[in-house]
Amino acid sequence: MVSHADSASLLGLDWGSSSLRAFLLGSGGKVLAERSNSQGASTLSGVPAFADALQGIAGDWLAAHPGLPILACGMIGSQHGWRDVPYAACPADAAALAAGMLSSPGAEISIVPGMLYDDGALPPDLMRGEETQIVGALQLQPALREASCIVLPGTHSKWAQVNDGRLRRFATHMTGELFAVLRSHSVLGRLMGDSGAFAEHAFVAGVDAARDCGHLGMSHQIFAARTLGVTGRAPASDLADYLSGLLVGHELRAGLAWRDAAGLAQAPLALVGSHVLCQRYALALQRFQAEPPLLLDNTAPAGLYHLARAAGMIKD
Amino acid sequence: MVSHADSASLLGLDWGSSSLRAFLLGSGGKVLAERSNSQGASTLSGVPAFADALQGIAGDWLAAHPGLPILACGMIGSQHGWRDVPYAACPADAAALAAGMLSSPGAEISIVPGMLYDDGALPPDLMRGEETQIVGALQLQPALREASCIVLPGTHSKWAQVNDGRLRRFATHMTGELFAVLRSHSVLGRLMGDSGAFAEHAFVAGVDAARDCGHLGMSHQIFAARTLGVTGRAPASDLADYLSGLLVGHELRAGLAWRDAAGLAQAPLALVGSHVLCQRYALALQRFQAEPPLLLDNTAPAGLYHLARAAGMIKD
C-alpha cells in the first residue's frame, strides 16, 4: 500500500446494507487498491461502530496518506447509517449530488445523498448508492450522457432515465429480493435442487413465459416453479432458474415499456453491475429482441471520484 | 355427540397442509358438528401419524357411529400425505372425481383426488381440496352450474371456470403466500406497523394502483410499501394493507382478464372462503367495477357430502 503514497487522491467507500467496499483511488480515479467485507450498514449500530469499521477496512491506507479525503455512498447515508443524509430530488447531476453531501459527525468522511423520484402522482421511489454508480457510468461512457436508459440489476434493480447528463427519473424492481424470499421461504423453494450450474434453457423458458404470457399475472406464473416439478415436467435443478427467468422477464416486460414511454426506445441501454448478473439480463434482453446493451462492471469508484471532484474535495 | 347417533351419514375431513377440519354430516349434508386443529398434512409423517390424527379429532364420533363412512380431501392425498392419490384431469365433474378416489392403506378412509389442468401449451396447474369446495359451491348455488367463475381467495388463490357443471380450467395465484413472505422476510415488512385494524383506505389505494398502473409491474409497485413509509407519506399502520391491496389488485387484474377470455364476462362470479377474506376481495372487485359477487362461506362439507353420494358411499 505504501507504494501508492505519492499518488492516492481519495478513499472511496461503497457502503451498502450488507457489504462495505473500499477503493484507494489515484489520479484520474485509477483504482490503486480495493478491499471488501461484510460490515454493511445494516450490520452496524451507532457512530463508533461505523468509525471502527472504517478503521478496520482502511486504517492502514489512512495512516499512510494523512489527510486523504474520504467519500462514501450507499445505505451509510440512511437513517440507520452513520448519518442520515437527505435525499436529493430528480432531476439531478453530479453538481446537485455534490451540493447535497454531508459530513459524518466527526467530519471523518463525506456522504453522497441518495435520490428521490417524486412526480406527485405515483408513489415516490428511492435509491442510495446507485446514483453514484450512474454518475460513474456517465463518466466511463460519454455516449450515455445525452439520453439513455441505465439498468442496475440486483436485489432492488433500478431503471434510470438519463437526459442531458442528469438522472431524471427512475423505478425500482424488487426482482432479486423476490427471488430470494420465494426460494428460501415459500413453497416454491421446496422442490428446487441446487446443482450450482446455470440452467440456461430453464432461465430462457421463464423469460419467454413472462414475455408471451405476462398478462396472466406474475403471482400466477410463478406457481409453475412448483407445478413443473410436482408433475415431473422439469427436473429439480431447473426450477430455480425458471423462477429467476420469470421474475427477470416480468421486470423487462415492465421496464422496457417504461423506457419506451420515456422516449428512450432508440437510446442506448446500459447494464451496470456484476458480470454474471448482467450477462443474465443481457440474455433476457435478447429474448425481448432488444438491441445488445452496453455492459459496465463496477462503476462506483468512477462515480465516487467524479463526485469528489464536483464537491471540490480533490483537484486533479 | 351421541345425540347424533341416529342421523350421522358421513365423516367429512378437509385435511389441508396446515390444518385439519372434521365435519360430522347428517342427512342431506347437514353439519351436525365440526372441529378443527392444526394437524395439517405437512405436520405429519407416516401412516400411523395420520391414523392417530384421525382418531384424535374424531375417535369418539367413530366409536359412536360404527361403520360411518369417511371421506377426506386436500393435501392428505398428496405424495407427502396419507396416500398419494393421482390428480384427476380437467374437465371433471363430481362423478369423475368420485371415480378417482382411493382408500387409505388400511381402508379407513376414502380420499378425493386433486385436480390437474394441463392444456399442453402453458405449464400445468394443480389443486388439492379446492375441487371439493367447488363441488360444494355448485351444490349450494345451482345458478353457478351452467357457466360461472368461482374464486377461492387464500394462500394460493384459485380461479376456476365452470361450464355445464364441470370444472373446466383453473389458475392459481400465490397472492396470500406472496403477502406472507414479503411481510415476514423482505425489507417491506420492516416499516409495517401492526395495529390489527383493517386500513380500508390503504387497501383500496393499493387495489387502485394495481388497476390503473399495473403495467408498471408488480415487482416495481410493491416497493412503494417501503417508499411511502420512508418518506412519511403513509403511516406504518397503512403499509401492510396497502401491500395487500396491491397484490389482490394484481390478482384481479389478471384474473378478470382471464375470466373474460374464457367467455365468462357475463356469467356469475362467486367468492368462496372465509368471510373476512371474501369481503376484502368483494371490495377490490368493486374497484374494478365488477358486478357484486356471490359470497359463499365454507363449502367443503357440502362438497364432501355430494362426492360421497356420487361415489356410492352413502345413499340418501
Side-chain angles (χ1 to χ4, degrees):
Chain A
M1 307 304 150
V2 182
S3 62
H4 306 302
D6 294 331
S7 54
S9 318
L10 180 73
L11 173 59
L13 303 171
D14 181 2
W15 207 327
S17 284
S18 56
S19 69
L20 165 58
R21 302 179 74 178
F23 304 94
L24 187 64
L25 302 175
S27 175
K30 185 181 175 196
V31 178
L32 305 176
E34 64 177 285
R35 296 172 181 165
S36 66
N37 64 36
S38 58
Q39 292 196 289
S42 69
T43 72
L44 303 169
S45 184
V47 165
F50 287 98
D52 286 350
L54 171 60
Q55 282 302 314
I57 199 164
D60 57 340
W61 291 350
L62 294 169
H65 305 282
L68 187 69
I70 313 175
L71 182 61
C73 67
M75 293 303 282
I76 182 71
S78 74
Q79 57 185 356
H80 299 297
W82 197 330
R83 176 173 184 179
D84 190 2
V85 181
Y87 293 97
C90 283
D93 57 10
L97 286 167
M101 288 178 190
L102 291 178
S103 296
S104 62
E108 295 94 338
I109 66 170
S110 295
I111 303 175
V112 180
M115 288 203 60
L116 165 75
Y117 173 68
D118 187 359
D119 68 1
L122 296 170
D125 211 327
L126 300 170
M127 62 167 62
R128 279 200 192 273
E130 293 91 350
E131 73 296 325
T132 301
Q133 294 183 60
I134 291 166
V135 168
L138 299 182
Q139 280 306 111
L140 295 170
Q141 287 286 348
L144 298 173
R145 290 179 199 164
E146 188 186 333
S148 63
C149 179
I150 300 182
V151 180
L152 301 98
T155 304
H156 296 169
S157 295
K158 305 291 181 183
W159 286 64
Q161 172 185 355
V162 171
N163 292 104
D164 303 320
R166 300 188 306 172
L167 175 51
R168 187 162 158 191
R169 199 168 65 119
F170 63 92
T172 303
H173 290 257
M174 292 182 64
T175 306
E177 187 164 10
L178 267 173
F179 178 76
V181 299
L182 287 171
R183 176 167 193 163
S184 297
H185 300 290
S186 85
V187 71
L188 300 184
R190 288 194 206 149
L191 298 175
M192 287 179 183
D194 189 9
S195 71
F198 176 44
E200 182 175 320
H201 61 283
F203 178 80
V204 165
V207 172
D208 290 357
R211 180 194 64 195
D212 298 336
C213 300
H215 59 281
L216 296 176
M218 194 170 85
S219 70
H220 164 63
Q221 290 193 294
I222 57 177
F223 194 58
R226 175 169 175 79
T227 61
L228 289 169
V230 170
T231 57
R233 296 283 200 86
S237 53
D238 277 6
L239 300 177
D241 287 317
Y242 181 79
L243 176 62
S244 172
L246 267 178
L247 297 176
V248 171
H250 271 277
E251 178 182 335
L252 293 191
R253 184 182 172 93
L256 291 171
W258 177 92
R259 175 199 70 166
D260 294 352
L264 298 174
Q266 307 304 322
L269 185 149
L271 293 171
V272 177
S274 83
H275 186 69
V276 168
L277 190 55
C278 287
Q279 286 290 349
R280 287 200 183 198
Y281 272 68
L283 175 59
L285 279 165
Q286 236 175 23
R287 308 301 301 179
F288 278 81
Q289 312 290 337
E291 290 292 308
L294 282 168
L295 296 182
L296 294 169
D297 208 329
N298 185 12
T299 61
L304 288 162
Y305 190 82
H306 186 63
L307 288 171
R309 283 185 62 190
M313 294 169 66
I314 49 176
K315 303 182 202 316
D316 192 44
Chain B
M1 304 306 146
V2 183
S3 63
H4 306 299
D6 295 331
S7 55
S9 318
L10 180 74
L11 172 59
L13 302 171
D14 181 2
W15 206 328
S17 284
S18 56
S19 70
L20 165 58
R21 302 179 75 177
F23 305 93
L24 188 64
L25 301 175
S27 175
K30 186 181 175 195
V31 178
L32 304 176
E34 64 177 283
R35 296 170 180 166
S36 66
N37 63 35
S38 58
Q39 292 196 291
S42 69
T43 72
L44 303 170
S45 185
V47 165
F50 286 98
D52 286 351
L54 171 61
Q55 281 302 316
I57 199 164
D60 58 341
W61 291 348
L62 294 170
H65 305 282
L68 188 69
I70 313 174
L71 182 61
C73 67
M75 292 304 282
I76 181 72
S78 74
Q79 57 185 355
H80 300 298
W82 196 330
R83 176 172 184 179
D84 190 1
V85 181
Y87 294 97
C90 282
D93 57 11
L97 286 167
M101 289 179 189
L102 292 179
S103 296
S104 62
E108 295 95 337
I109 66 172
S110 295
I111 303 175
V112 179
M115 287 204 59
L116 164 76
Y117 173 70
D118 187 0
D119 68 1
L122 295 170
D125 212 327
L126 300 170
M127 62 167 60
R128 278 200 192 273
E130 293 90 350
E131 73 295 324
T132 301
Q133 295 183 60
I134 291 166
V135 167
L138 298 182
Q139 281 305 111
L140 296 169
Q141 287 286 347
L144 297 173
R145 290 178 200 166
E146 188 186 333
S148 64
C149 179
I150 300 183
V151 180
L152 302 99
T155 304
H156 296 170
S157 294
K158 306 290 179 185
W159 287 64
Q161 172 185 354
V162 171
N163 292 104
D164 302 320
R166 300 190 303 171
L167 174 51
R168 185 161 160 192
R169 199 168 65 119
F170 63 91
T172 302
H173 290 258
M174 292 182 64
T175 305
E177 187 164 10
L178 267 172
F179 178 76
V181 299
L182 287 171
R183 176 167 193 163
S184 298
H185 300 289
S186 86
V187 71
L188 300 184
R190 289 196 204 146
L191 300 173
M192 287 180 183
D194 189 9
S195 71
F198 177 44
E200 181 175 321
H201 60 284
F203 177 80
V204 165
V207 172
D208 289 356
R211 179 194 64 196
D212 298 335
C213 301
H215 59 282
L216 296 175
M218 194 169 87
S219 70
H220 165 62
Q221 292 193 292
I222 58 176
F223 193 57
R226 174 170 175 78
T227 62
L228 290 170
V230 169
T231 58
R233 296 284 199 83
S237 54
D238 278 7
L239 299 177
D241 286 318
Y242 182 80
L243 176 62
S244 172
L246 267 178
L247 297 178
V248 171
H250 270 277
E251 179 182 335
L252 293 192
R253 184 183 172 91
L256 290 172
W258 178 91
R259 175 199 68 167
D260 295 351
L264 298 174
Q266 308 304 321
L269 185 149
L271 293 172
V272 177
S274 83
H275 185 69
V276 167
L277 190 55
C278 287
Q279 285 290 350
R280 288 200 182 197
Y281 271 68
L283 176 59
L285 279 167
Q286 236 175 24
R287 306 301 301 179
F288 278 80
Q289 313 290 337
E291 291 292 308
L294 282 169
L295 297 182
L296 293 170
D297 210 330
N298 186 13
T299 61
L304 287 163
Y305 190 83
H306 187 64
L307 287 171
R309 282 186 62 192
M313 293 169 65
I314 49 177
K315 303 182 201 316
D316 192 42

